[in-house]
Amino acid sequence: QGGPNFTLSLHSGENLISFPIELDNPSLDVVFQDERITKVIGEGVASTRVNGTWEGSLSSIEPTSAYYINASEDLTVEYRGDALSLYMVYNIHSGNNYVSFPEYHGVITSIQGEGMASTYINGRYEGSLQQLCPGKGYIINSSQDIYGSIWG
């Protein structure tokens, strides 16, 4: 495949990530072949590796979603895929949402990354999360439902 590369660097323990590329085969069996990846948690879904097989309610990776990945040790995995559309459609519901690399939107009241967060106060975001990065995952809190592109 000739698409863009993505290097996923995981530290031992929980990692909040997303995929900034469209994977050819997004099934957990293909995406997380490395046995050192032991658990994947998404919004309302999860799977755990049991005797080499993924078991649970999560079976594939979505490019608009974020995931907590548990790694038994530090590791790096390379992926190739197709570039994502700049106008991906997100279905944001009131409350917390596990999303990939979203644009800030006026109704998003807070956003959390791994080890950092920002809250919307008096017309601007305040906190330690200053920049959104491809490949990182985010948990956003919305004051209302949004359906459509949340890019600028």
Side-chain angles (χ1 to χ4, degrees):
Q1 182 177 3
N5 288 328
F6 170 59
T7 301
L8 180 62
S9 297
L10 301 172
H11 56 78
S12 179
E14 299 292 330
N15 298 262
L16 184 57
I17 62 102
S18 66
F19 284 84
I21 59 174
E22 185 78 43
L23 300 166
D24 277 343
N25 184 340
S27 74
L28 290 190
D29 291 332
V30 173
V31 176
F32 299 121
Q33 294 178 18
D34 194 306
E35 294 281 329
R36 296 173 291 178
I37 299 172
T38 59
K39 180 173 50 175
V40 182
I41 301 171
E43 184 178 337
V45 292
S47 286
T48 301
R49 190 184 304 274
V50 178
N51 298 322
T53 302
W54 287 106
E55 294 189 14
S57 57
L58 179 62
S59 60
S60 65
I61 299 300
E62 296 292 330
T64 56
S65 296
Y67 302 92
Y68 275 106
I69 307 300
N70 184 280
S72 61
E73 61 186 68
D74 294 355
L75 67 124
T76 301
V77 186
E78 291 285 330
Y79 296 96
R80 292 185 69 77
D82 294 323
L84 294 176
S85 167
L86 291 178
Y87 301 100
M88 292 179 51
V89 175
Y90 290 80
N91 188 4
I92 306 297
H93 57 80
S94 179
N96 289 331
N97 298 260
Y98 284 52
V99 299
S100 63
F101 194 53
E103 182 73 22
Y104 286 109
H105 193 280
V107 299
I108 296 174
T109 58
S110 67
I111 186 165
Q112 301 170 32
E114 185 176 330
M116 59 188 85
S118 288
T119 302
Y120 194 72
I121 301 170
N122 297 325
R124 55 184 254 180
Y125 289 92
E126 305 269 342
S128 59
L129 181 59
Q130 297 297 311
Q131 181 177 352
L132 302 178
C133 300
K136 297 296 183 183
Y138 302 95
I139 300 172
I140 65 171
N141 187 282
S142 177
S143 62
Q144 66 186 49
D145 295 346
I146 305 169
Y147 182 76
S149 175
I150 58 174
W151 286 95

